[in-house]
Amino acid sequence: MADAIKFVPLFPLLGVIVNALLSTQSAQTRQRLSGWVAVVAAALSFVAALVVAFDYPGVLGGRAFTDVEVYRWLDFPGSLISIPVAFRIDGLSLVMTLIVTGVGTLIHIFSVGYMKGDPRFGRFFIYLNLFLFSMLLLVLANNYVLMFVGWEGVGLCSYLLIGYYFEKVSAAQAGKKAFLINRVGDF
């Protein structure tokens, strides 16, 4: 059942893709479907995380860890450099995965009602699912390169979500400030 960990970040990524495809539909279709596509993606991710948690009860006690490789991302033949897309299942990553997917699902559900009637409804849920995907990459990565991709994805999504109402000067400035603070913090 170690393969279930692959679905934890996959569902939010699929939510991003489906909602991006829905963005070509009419405003009424986007309003009706985008939020629930994102909620279902987040909820399925939480269910997959629960499956992993129940499959590895010893991991929560801190006794063991498992690495699950999805595929080789960067593999340079004839050299020692090989960077996989792989996820580590250990006590900390599993608890963080359960928190991120559980709370993320609740935030998605709340956002459906809160964002109702917004003209860029679908775009918001693309950003929200992308944030969830990036956060899961960050907490599940078993190497620093993949963790960095997750970290930068979280920074990008923070900028996009904080500055979502970019036509308001205060939101645009807050988004820029978050971006700059993130860059300074990274440095």
Side-chain angles (χ1 to χ4, degrees):
M1 242 333 152
D3 290 338
I5 196 69
K6 296 176 185 178
F7 294 106
V8 174
L10 178 66
F11 287 128
L13 183 61
L14 289 175
V16 169
I17 293 167
V18 170
N19 272 331
L21 293 173
L22 282 175
S23 68
T24 63
Q25 302 300 313
S26 69
Q28 185 180 12
T29 303
R30 280 195 313 268
Q31 275 289 357
R32 207 174 54 243
L33 295 177
S34 294
W36 293 112
V37 166
V39 168
V40 167
L44 287 173
S45 182
F46 179 62
V47 169
L50 285 173
V51 167
V52 173
F54 286 122
D55 200 39
Y56 291 97
V59 169
L60 289 176
R63 290 184 232 133
F65 71 88
T66 303
D67 285 334
V68 178
E69 184 175 320
V70 178
Y71 67 92
R72 289 271 169 205
W73 181 28
L74 296 172
D75 197 9
F76 300 102
S79 74
L80 298 175
I81 299 175
S82 179
I83 301 171
V85 171
F87 304 122
R88 174 159 288 184
I89 306 169
D90 61 6
L92 179 61
S93 68
L94 193 53
V95 167
M96 289 304 298
T97 300
L98 289 168
I99 291 170
V100 166
T101 56
V103 173
T105 301
L106 295 175
I107 291 169
H108 278 70
I109 292 168
F110 173 78
S111 296
V112 168
Y114 185 78
M115 297 302 292
K116 188 174 184 175
D118 190 274
R120 295 184 308 269
F121 188 80
R123 183 185 299 179
F124 179 82
F125 285 100
I126 290 172
Y127 295 164
L128 208 54
N129 267 149
L130 189 61
F131 186 83
L132 186 59
F133 170 74
S134 298
M135 185 64 78
L136 289 169
L137 277 186
L138 178 64
V139 301
L140 287 173
N142 85 332
N143 59 66
Y144 288 120
V145 175
L146 190 60
M147 185 183 80
F148 181 74
V149 170
W151 179 263
E152 291 303 318
V154 167
L156 170 68
C157 293
S158 295
Y159 166 74
L160 293 172
L161 289 167
I162 291 169
Y164 179 72
Y165 292 111
F166 55 85
E167 60 275 339
K168 289 173 45 181
V169 174
S170 61
Q173 288 175 340
K176 283 187 241 174
K177 183 178 179 181
F179 181 79
L180 290 172
I181 296 298
N182 199 349
R183 297 287 62 81
V184 169
D186 287 352
F187 178 72

